[in-house]
Amino acid sequence: MNKIFLSFLLITTGFLQAQNNTSYWQQHVDYTMEVDMNVDNFRYTGTQDLVYTNNSPDTLNRVFYHLYFNAFQPDSEMNARLESVPDPDGRMTINKGTKENPEIVSRITGLSEDQIGYLRVNSLTQNGTELQYDEVGTVLEVELANPIMPGEKTTFNMEFEGQVPEQIRRSGRNSAEGVALSMSQWYPKLAEYDFQGWHADPYIAREFQGVWGDFDVKITIDKDYTIGSTGYLQNPQEIGHGYEKEGTKVKKTKGDKLTWHFIAPQVHDFTWAADPEYIHDTLVAEDGTVLHFLYKDNEEIKENWKKLQPKTAELLAYFNEHIGPYPWDQYSVVQGGDGGMEYAMLTLITGERSFGSLLGVTAHEMAHAWFQHLMATNESIHEWMDEGFTSYISSEAENVVMGTNAENPHKGSYRGYQYLASSGKEQPQTTHADRYAMNALYGASAYSKGAVFLAQLGYVIGEENLSRTLKRYYDEWKFKHPTPNDFIRIAEKVSGAELDWYLQDWTQTTNTIDYAINSVESEGETTTVNLQRIGLMPMPLDIDVTYADGSKETFYIPLQIMRWEKPAEEGTNRTIKEDWAWGFPTYELEIPSSKEEITSIEIDSSQLMADINRNNNTWGKSETENTESEN
Ligand SMILES: [Zn+2]
């Protein structure tokens, strides 16, 4: 090969490879499925026609499907992990020993052939040509007959069958509360392909990633069963079960079964639940969204489930106002599953709870309608954006809807993060959701540290900028798959501050924040506060001073790498000082008052900065020192 040709090749291949994440694209799916459920043995058969559009710049030679129900088998990877993790999920285990001498065993291990879950593909074609495929645990690996070129559509036709497992985790039959069918992750679901390539993750424990598209689903089931589902029911007058127009009669159909027809536009998942004893209530919210509530006819829970309904409408209004309008016409709160889990246009939650817990879980799961089903971050990779953002906004919403009105509704999240940071076992938030050493570490990282990411961002750029950031994030990223960088870029554009350091230190490292007041010295009418940065993570500082006459002043020390100053909050007396550049471990803050005139000095009295050691944050008699209260 001559040199000129070689350099030409390098230039052209270099040019071709430069097509990466600089321009956003996402794949598209259109599912048409028909499924027939046998409620005597919990087996079902189905057909699936899937039109797949390759919007990527790449030619695809293979595709992958998730077969999630295969996880509920004794020899599965999920069970191996469940049996080896130091703190297995209590919902997935039983204690075969005593309270004193526990013998914790996996519930999956004990499943019989009739109780396991499975999802099997019986045939698969691409544009009519039979395909080769391999079932590998919870993933179907498919070799394509014809590569899918960029911009091209292809049609897959599949026949499949499944068995709904005894309820172990999230989905399944015969839940602890007696719900017959919790049908999440029940169909062969095409894996996502994005700028980071394929995401054919096995189902080990944690959550999901799906391809955006439209679903047309027909479910045939025993006519006594009421279904709550993703999607709009197309044949309510044939079905009834509380879906028919008020005051109208439902057509009588022959046979023991009904076929429910649902259409769900622009979603990345399709979930349903069914039970012969569901009560079905509806409530039209202020914005016109029809809220559906499906719960067991159980005297002990009825009152809570009635009280929940207007509160759910209030939660919806809160999220509409503080994130952006809920875009679908329907949302369902359905008793099912094993805790609380978000799905497209609905949640499955357990129903035998106190009212506070029922509302709290509903608030959390409903918030996921935004931070998962609209801004659909990959939950395996960016679990903190999913759980953290949801925890943040649901704590804010609950604080208002429940009338708690705590000044900082995120104290629980801050405590969770403190536990994590002091555990010596913290892993960075870039850890894959399944790869945490313990479940508790995942929880503290994704939920607590994830919520603190936003609450603390309010401290860094100001509450007004945070609020505008969330709204612009919704505007630019709804119906897409945003990444952490997409979010922080919006915060940068909204505020004008440079924030790459915040994203990196907080989410990609385990660096901690610890600032201290080392000493306070006075000379004449000047007081010098000697500050020290002990932790590796930089932060801008609000130094709150209370004077002997009762007045207050905040000295704001900008962080130099932000190239920016936070706007003062209305009604506050604030003085901006010189920047603090991170490399300098100490900083001298001069206050133009004598020591006698000062009652107390505190680094960040709002406590929104997640300083891991607040014992060194105060000087003098601080009023705010011991005001922390439980809420
Ligand atoms: Zn969640």
Side-chain angles (χ1 to χ4, degrees):
M1 197 184 295
N2 72 50
K3 269 187 195 164
I4 294 170
F5 181 69
L6 178 68
S7 57
F8 172 76
L9 196 74
L10 285 174
I11 289 164
T12 51
T13 53
F15 175 74
L16 288 172
Q17 280 166 4
Q19 262 182 355
N20 56 10
N21 56 349
T22 49
S23 64
Y24 180 83
W25 49 266
Q26 67 189 28
Q27 305 296 67
H28 184 85
V29 284
D30 290 302
Y31 283 94
T32 306
M33 292 192 277
E34 289 187 19
V35 56
D36 190 349
M37 174 64 73
N38 180 339
V39 295
D40 296 326
N41 60 12
F42 297 101
R43 292 191 184 145
Y44 58 104
T45 54
T47 58
Q48 183 188 81
D49 301 332
L50 170 59
V51 180
Y52 182 51
T53 310
N54 178 16
N55 291 321
S56 83
D58 309 317
T59 301
L60 304 177
N61 296 300
R62 300 206 291 171
V63 297
F64 302 88
Y65 289 81
H66 298 283
L67 304 173
Y68 292 115
F69 273 6
N70 292 348
F72 303 106
Q73 298 174 6
D75 61 354
S76 72
E77 187 176 2
M78 177 184 271
N79 198 34
R81 178 64 179 157
L82 176 60
E83 287 182 325
S84 57
V85 71
D87 60 339
D89 189 321
R91 290 170 288 203
M92 301 171 77
T93 57
I94 40 168
N95 182 5
K96 281 199 161 173
T98 59
K99 210 175 168 193
E100 294 72 35
N101 286 311
E103 190 202 336
I104 305 297
V105 293
S106 154
R107 288 174 54 222
I108 297 178
T109 304
L111 294 178
S112 70
E113 280 300 306
D114 291 336
Q115 294 172 319
I116 61 168
Y118 62 74
L119 197 46
R120 292 175 192 151
V121 174
N122 295 329
S123 71
L124 179 60
T125 62
Q126 178 191 9
N127 300 332
T129 307
E130 261 184 53
L131 294 178
Q132 297 292 318
Y133 53 84
D134 209 0
E135 191 184 303
V136 181
T138 54
V139 174
L140 189 77
E141 304 174 351
V142 181
E143 297 294 332
L144 296 181
N146 300 298
I148 316 170
M149 305 302 281
E152 202 176 81
K153 277 183 202 297
T154 204
T155 303
F156 297 111
N157 298 97
M158 180 191 280
E159 288 175 11
F160 64 93
E161 62 180 316
Q163 177 168 284
V164 187
E166 282 292 315
Q167 178 112 24
I168 301 293
R169 186 74 183 89
R170 297 193 181 95
S171 40
R173 70 201 208 209
N174 303 326
S175 77
E177 298 183 347
V179 174
L181 286 162
S182 298
M183 297 296 286
S184 55
Q185 296 92 36
W186 60 276
Y187 61 95
K189 181 175 177 178
L190 196 74
E192 180 63 297
Y193 181 80
D194 64 15
F195 74 99
Q196 292 173 305
W198 281 104
H199 296 284
D201 289 24
Y203 189 23
I204 297 174
R206 298 266 144 63
E207 298 180 13
F208 312 101
Q209 163 84 325
V211 190
W212 285 103
D214 300 328
F215 287 70
D216 182 317
V217 180
K218 287 181 180 151
I219 301 164
T220 301
I221 192 168
D222 184 294
K223 67 180 179 189
D224 290 339
Y225 280 62
T226 303
I227 293 180
S229 178
T230 300
Y232 309 121
L233 186 62
Q234 300 299 299
N235 54 342
Q237 296 309 116
E238 281 170 33
I239 295 293
H241 286 271
Y243 287 95
E244 71 276 20
K245 254 196 196 130
E246 230 185 297
T248 60
K249 280 230 161 125
V250 175
K251 277 188 236 161
K252 276 233 159 114
T253 44
K254 284 183 197 157
D256 303 334
K257 288 187 167 182
L258 283 173
T259 298
W260 301 57
H261 182 199
F262 295 98
I263 284 182
Q266 275 194 295
V267 291
H268 57 76
D269 187 47
F270 190 99
T271 291
W272 55 285
D275 193 89
E277 289 169 3
Y278 272 148
I279 295 174
H280 179 193
D281 297 333
T282 55
L283 177 75
V284 181
E286 196 181 73
D287 67 351
T289 304
V290 183
L291 300 172
H292 294 254
F293 300 87
L294 295 109
Y295 52 101
K296 297 280 287 189
D297 189 358
N298 168 355
E299 283 308 322
E300 274 160 37
I301 67 168
K302 266 186 191 168
E303 197 192 325
N304 281 347
W305 277 77
K306 294 279 182 208
K307 267 166 66 188
L308 176 68
Q309 297 174 21
K311 289 290 178 193
T312 305
E314 284 180 51
L315 289 167
L316 176 69
Y318 185 92
F319 298 137
N320 280 342
E321 187 188 337
H322 291 89
I323 318 172
Y326 180 75
W328 295 281
D329 300 332
Q330 172 188 313
Y331 185 82
S332 304
V333 183
V334 182
Q335 187 181 2
D338 61 355
M341 180 66 197
E342 72 277 12
Y343 302 103
M345 301 167 67
L346 105 170
T347 175
L348 298 185
I349 72 172
T350 48
E352 295 171 10
R353 309 166 167 273
S354 68
F355 179 67
S357 169
L358 188 66
L359 183 88
V361 177
T362 301
H364 180 94
E365 305 310 335
M366 192 180 209
H368 274 304
W370 282 261
F371 297 121
Q372 184 45 222
H373 290 281
L374 271 173
M375 279 73 85
T377 49
N378 183 335
E379 296 175 282
S380 303
I381 302 183
H382 310 302
E383 57 273 16
W384 61 275
M385 290 181 81
D386 173 59
E387 296 303 347
F389 286 22
T390 292
S391 298
Y392 171 83
I393 203 73
S394 59
S395 297
E396 292 276 329
E398 251 189 286
N399 197 36
V400 171
V401 169
M402 290 294 270
T404 319
N405 300 318
E407 201 175 325
N408 178 5
H410 309 289
K411 281 201 167 144
S413 296
Y414 279 82
R415 274 195 297 273
Y417 168 64
Q418 287 284 353
Y419 146 80
L420 180 67
S422 59
S423 69
K425 292 176 184 165
E426 185 182 358
Q427 295 168 259
Q429 288 181 307
T430 46
T431 303
H432 187 286
D434 281 312
R435 227 84 75 217
Y436 283 86
M438 292 170 68
N439 284 322
L441 297 173
Y442 160 81
S445 179
Y447 290 76
S448 303
K449 194 182 181 186
V452 172
F453 173 88
L454 278 190
Q456 183 173 251
L457 185 61
Y459 165 80
V460 173
I461 63 174
E463 296 301 334
E464 184 56 35
N465 279 323
L466 174 63
S467 156
R468 284 168 53 215
T469 296
L470 289 178
K471 287 173 186 165
R472 185 155 163 192
Y473 180 52
Y474 167 93
D475 284 339
E476 293 190 16
W477 287 99
K478 60 180 182 292
F479 300 111
K480 290 181 185 166
H481 294 300
T483 64
N485 191 60
D486 298 322
F487 179 81
I488 209 70
R489 289 291 295 125
I490 287 183
E492 286 191 335
K493 286 186 260 188
V494 163
S495 65
E498 186 172 327
L499 294 165
D500 54 347
W501 62 275
Y502 183 66
L503 181 69
Q504 182 159 28
D505 271 75
W506 191 255
T507 72
Q508 301 172 22
T509 77
T510 56
N511 289 348
T512 52
I513 301 159
D514 183 12
Y515 281 90
I517 297 174
N518 272 350
S519 61
V520 176
E521 289 151 27
S522 201
E523 211 183 291
E525 282 302 297
T526 302
T527 299
T528 304
V529 185
N530 294 298
L531 297 162
Q532 188 185 351
R533 176 184 57 74
I534 299 168
L536 278 172
M537 180 160 172
M539 277 303 242
L541 295 184
D542 282 341
I543 310 294
D544 300 306
V545 174
T546 304
Y547 296 103
D549 65 2
S551 63
K552 288 176 192 289
E553 182 171 9
T554 297
F555 293 89
Y556 173 60
I557 306 175
L559 178 65
Q560 196 163 74
I561 51 174
M562 288 175 71
R563 315 284 162 205
W564 181 83
E565 287 153 9
K566 173 166 70 172
E569 294 215 359
E570 228 175 286
T572 54
N573 175 21
R574 195 184 73 159
T575 304
I576 299 176
K577 302 299 275 191
E578 288 278 300
D579 287 0
W580 187 341
W582 173 84
F584 296 91
T586 58
Y587 182 103
E588 286 182 1
L589 167 69
E590 287 195 349
I591 300 172
S593 302
S594 73
K595 214 169 170 174
E596 286 68 42
E597 292 170 288
I598 297 172
T599 311
S600 68
I601 304 169
E602 181 171 10
I603 301 172
D604 174 35
S605 63
S606 75
Q607 304 196 12
L608 289 171
M609 183 175 89
D611 193 309
I612 56 155
N613 178 13
R614 290 199 55 87
N615 293 329
N616 56 22
N617 282 32
T618 50
W619 174 88
K621 253 199 223 154
S622 174
E623 292 170 33
T624 48
E625 237 172 1
N626 297 313
T627 54
E628 188 172 330
S629 62
E630 295 285 319
N631 60 62

